[in-house]
Amino acid sequence: MKEHLTEWLRQKPSVGGVLVRGIRFPDQTFFCDFGSRDFPMAALEQVWHGVDDSFQVLIARQTPPVRLTWVYERAVLHCTRHDGGAVFGVFVQRDPTKVDQA
């Protein structure tokens, strides 16, 4: 699964307004591309921990989420969880006119 999802993300073209795309795997590793260097790796690791914790808490509460969204001052993080436990996330610019929604 890990290699398949990593390859899938690599093949997807970068789109306007996307800052960072990534996948966090159940073994706590992650793969991401950098559309913007504004996100240091240490910050991304913390974000991924928070995302994973949020999904785990909701699953434990028997409220399995399909998608979660965090809104920050300059960006929005959209996440969805794969059946195998991997989480796909994408940071986009907060200004929706700068993001290619397709």
Side-chain angles (χ1 to χ4, degrees):
M1 171 182 76
K2 191 173 186 177
E3 294 82 18
H4 174 74
L5 290 174
T6 300
E7 189 58 33
W8 170 81
L9 184 61
R10 280 188 178 129
Q11 291 177 2
K12 293 294 177 188
S14 183
V15 295
V18 172
L19 304 173
V20 178
R21 304 178 299 178
I23 302 170
R24 185 161 196 257
F25 300 100
D27 66 0
Q28 310 302 312
T29 60
F30 63 92
F31 169 78
C32 60
D33 66 347
F34 287 90
S36 168
R37 293 292 174 186
D38 293 340
F39 287 87
M41 188 60 77
L44 284 173
E45 287 184 41
Q46 286 189 331
V47 167
W48 281 119
H49 286 293
V51 167
D52 190 51
D53 288 349
S54 298
F55 274 101
Q56 294 303 324
V57 166
L58 290 169
I59 290 167
R61 296 283 183 180
Q62 298 180 353
T63 310
V66 175
R67 291 190 175 114
L68 296 175
T69 300
W70 286 260
V71 179
Y72 299 96
E73 185 177 327
R74 295 184 343 215
V76 178
L77 172 60
H78 298 285
C79 293
T80 188
R81 191 169 188 271
H82 186 271
D83 290 339
V87 175
F88 171 72
V90 60
F91 270 102
V92 296
Q93 291 181 7
R94 187 154 179 199
D95 182 352
T97 62
K98 295 182 180 179
V99 180
D100 180 357
Q101 297 296 324

